[in-house]
Amino acid sequence: MDLYFAPLACSLATRIAIYEAGAQAGFIQVDTHHKQLRDGSDFRPVNALGQVPVLRTDEGWLLTENTAILPYVADQFASAQLAPPAGSAERARLQQWLGFIGTELHKAIFVPLLDPNAPADVKTYARDKAALRLGVLQAHLAQREFLLERFSVADAYLFTVLNWGQYSGINLAGWPQVGAYYRRIAQRPHVARALAEEAALYGEEVARRKEKNTV
């Protein structure tokens, strides 16, 4: 399988899941600002929205959206136990958390805050939503190590989204259990590896953009 990704974007969650599963995959970097691959070719035939992640399966078909890709990866490598069994109550809770992360955190809060073109009132509206939603996480994580009973693809996604706090002005110090969770997940070897690799690629990407802007 191949993962189309952008450094430190939400596709990081799938990289983490792949590493946690001990799986082999190809990684194809995407410039989501220009909707191009590294060779300059158009990314939109892969995903018309120009967004990541996109997973090309071993059968050759394309899958988009974290809520679909992450359970798929978990099911392909079931021995890693990154998702509860299909049809179980815990699987329903996994889907619940994937939905919460995707809609209440990723799209509702962080996308507006990270968008340089978002108006100030939109950013204020998004920031005002953070307290309630991070408060839900704070209460849930007060007595828990992970979102479910063990590390799952939902934790990979949540860690990825929380990592954007440092770029968006969301200080997790106001939610100490959430901050402790983030630091704890960051210490997992596969998470640390994925984050370090993408942080380096992100730095290179920023440098390339600066070089283009000065030419």
Side-chain angles (χ1 to χ4, degrees):
M1 64 176 63
D2 292 317
L3 175 68
Y4 293 86
F5 78 99
L8 299 183
C10 63
S11 48
L12 173 61
T14 303
R15 182 187 290 268
I16 291 172
I18 290 169
Y19 288 174
E20 288 277 348
Q24 298 296 316
F27 296 95
I28 303 170
Q29 188 168 340
V30 178
D31 180 345
T32 52
H33 289 263
H34 298 95
K35 315 302 182 188
Q36 293 179 338
L37 301 179
R38 288 292 301 274
D39 63 5
S41 60
D42 190 358
F43 175 57
R44 282 165 293 198
V46 178
N47 183 355
L49 295 177
Q51 298 176 346
V52 294
V54 179
L55 188 74
R56 187 183 298 276
T57 70
D58 290 338
E59 294 76 23
W61 49 274
L62 299 172
L63 188 62
T64 64
E65 305 297 335
N66 283 296
T67 52
I69 293 173
L70 290 169
Y72 175 84
V73 170
D75 288 342
Q76 292 302 298
F77 307 99
S79 62
Q81 297 183 317
L82 295 175
S88 66
E90 278 291 280
R91 182 59 169 251
R93 292 189 183 96
L94 173 77
Q95 293 297 152
Q96 173 183 292
W97 280 114
L98 290 175
F100 176 86
I101 297 161
T103 59
E104 303 296 338
L105 298 179
H106 182 169
K107 295 296 186 180
I109 298 174
F110 288 103
V111 165
L113 293 180
L114 292 168
D115 185 349
N117 298 316
D121 57 345
V122 171
K123 290 181 181 290
T124 298
Y125 178 77
R127 193 171 287 109
D128 288 345
K129 287 180 169 291
L132 176 60
R133 285 149 182 79
L134 291 174
V136 168
L137 281 178
Q138 171 81 2
H140 182 74
L141 294 170
Q143 303 297 327
R144 286 176 167 270
E145 185 176 1
F146 307 113
L147 287 172
L148 302 178
E149 294 304 314
R150 58 180 296 137
F151 182 88
S152 72
V153 290
D155 295 295
Y157 192 10
L158 179 56
F159 173 83
T160 295
V161 170
L162 293 178
N163 188 58
W164 299 336
Q166 61 189 303
Y167 305 102
S168 61
I170 297 293
N171 188 347
L172 297 181
W175 299 274
Q177 298 295 341
V178 179
Y181 165 88
Y182 171 80
R183 293 188 295 273
R184 187 165 61 246
I185 299 300
Q187 293 175 359
R188 294 178 67 87
H190 295 303
V191 174
R193 174 193 171 193
L195 182 61
E197 289 176 353
E198 295 215 356
L201 292 171
Y202 180 76
E204 293 171 3
E205 186 174 273
V206 170
R208 282 195 300 272
R209 287 180 194 162
K210 288 181 179 179
E211 184 178 348
K212 285 182 180 179
N213 292 334
T214 57
V215 172

